[in-house]
Amino acid sequence: MQVKDKIVIVTGAGSGIGAATAKHFAKHQAKVVVSDIKKEKAQKIVDDIKANGGESVVITANVAKFDEVEQLIIKTVEQFGRLDVIVNNAGIGPKNMAKTGEYTLEDWDSVIAVNQTGVFYCMKLALQQMMKQGGGNIVNIASLAGLKASLNNLSYSASKFAVVGMTKSAALEYATKNIRINAVCPGYTESALLDKLLSVRPDMDQMLKSVIPMKRYGLAEEIAEAVVWLASENTKFITGQTITLDGGTSL
């Protein structure tokens, strides 16, 4: 995939899909900014990339804080001179899954702040930089929960539906500006969020697999391949799309 020497930011890159995506970009010779709220986790990913001959740095940021996202973009441009790609992956789930009438204000506010407002902050500031330099590419990590109903998971579902909408709206706005914006919608994928769910409800494992035609969870590396492909020069005529990677679940 054609991403050699592209300057790439991946948010929430300390683990899961974000970490796999950062490593996959580096494998294809992009220069990767590994951003995460936890510096130690991000540094481990950078160390791994460097050990395999790649170029990578850590810039910590809480995407729910505008000033920290602003510094993420500024520091990236100061170090590398431009920003070619941003992957808006940082995301969280609620502490408690509950029906809408019993949903806590804390879970609503915290999830929306990271998953929806955080993506807006990253898109807003990345787009400003990309307009200055004459182009760029944004890949947002949405979810199958942003395409279909998700029980007892209101804030997460709302935030991911929002990411799909923001992706399409912004893609339309910037289609003539050499800026492409797409999203990937993973289904049930091996990740910290899934681990958290299964730790609370171990009985969910077989139930979830029973609704996946492939009878298995996705791998973070499989999602990463789609992200890097969308960010590459191989997909110049693709914008405003949501690519669903769910083992057939949506069928």
Side-chain angles (χ1 to χ4, degrees):
M1 283 181 279
Q2 299 174 37
V3 294
K4 183 178 180 181
D5 294 328
K6 287 187 180 293
I7 310 305
V8 180
I9 293 173
V10 183
T11 67
S15 62
I17 291 171
T21 299
K23 291 177 183 179
H24 206 59
F25 270 112
K27 177 182 175 182
H28 289 277
Q29 299 180 286
K31 299 174 183 179
V32 185
V33 175
V34 175
S35 185
D36 199 275
I37 198 169
K38 296 180 179 178
K39 186 174 182 178
E40 299 79 10
K41 293 175 69 175
Q43 188 61 54
K44 288 181 181 179
I45 305 305
V46 168
D47 292 345
D48 186 64
I49 288 172
K50 289 182 175 179
N52 285 282
E55 185 172 348
S56 184
V57 298
V58 172
I59 302 178
T60 58
N62 178 350
V63 299
K65 296 184 177 181
F66 185 81
D67 60 333
E68 293 193 23
V69 176
E70 193 170 37
Q71 285 302 306
L72 170 62
I73 305 298
I74 289 171
K75 289 177 182 178
T76 297
V77 175
E78 284 178 348
Q79 180 147 356
F80 295 105
R82 65 184 193 278
L83 170 61
D84 298 309
V85 179
I86 186 166
V87 179
N88 294 316
N89 167 75
I92 62 172
K95 290 181 179 179
N96 304 289
M97 300 188 75
K99 292 181 179 178
T100 301
E102 288 76 49
Y103 215 81
T104 68
L105 298 183
E106 178 188 3
D107 276 333
W108 175 265
D109 291 340
S110 62
V111 172
I112 294 298
V114 175
N115 295 10
Q116 181 174 339
T117 304
V119 170
F120 164 62
Y121 289 165
C122 288
M123 289 178 67
K124 174 182 172 64
L125 292 165
L127 283 164
Q128 291 175 2
Q129 173 59 32
M130 290 171 180
M131 285 293 290
K132 289 178 186 177
Q133 65 193 32
N137 196 305
I138 296 174
V139 182
N140 295 323
I141 308 301
S143 171
L144 184 60
L147 299 173
K148 61 187 291 294
S150 182
L151 294 175
N152 304 322
N153 204 15
L154 189 72
S155 61
Y156 188 81
S157 182
S159 69
K160 294 303 185 178
F161 267 91
V163 169
V164 170
M166 290 191 291
T167 297
K168 291 181 178 292
S169 294
L172 183 60
E173 293 167 352
Y174 291 89
T176 62
K177 304 299 183 183
N178 194 32
I179 299 172
R180 296 191 296 110
I181 306 167
N182 293 287
V184 297
C185 294
Y188 299 110
T189 304
E190 292 183 2
S191 64
L193 283 176
L194 182 63
D195 290 343
K196 179 182 177 182
L197 172 63
L198 296 180
S199 69
V200 176
R201 290 280 307 278
D203 59 302
M204 290 283 285
D205 182 55
Q206 288 305 313
M207 190 276 284
L208 292 177
K209 287 178 180 175
S210 72
V211 301
I212 304 172
M214 288 188 178
K215 303 305 179 188
R216 69 172 179 87
Y217 302 128
L219 302 177
E221 292 76 14
E222 293 170 327
I223 312 304
E225 287 182 0
V227 173
V228 176
W229 177 70
L230 283 171
S232 75
E233 294 301 306
N234 303 78
T235 54
K236 290 181 180 179
F237 203 51
I238 299 177
T239 195
Q241 301 304 304
T242 55
I243 308 298
T244 306
L245 301 98
D246 65 355
T249 306
S250 53
L251 300 175

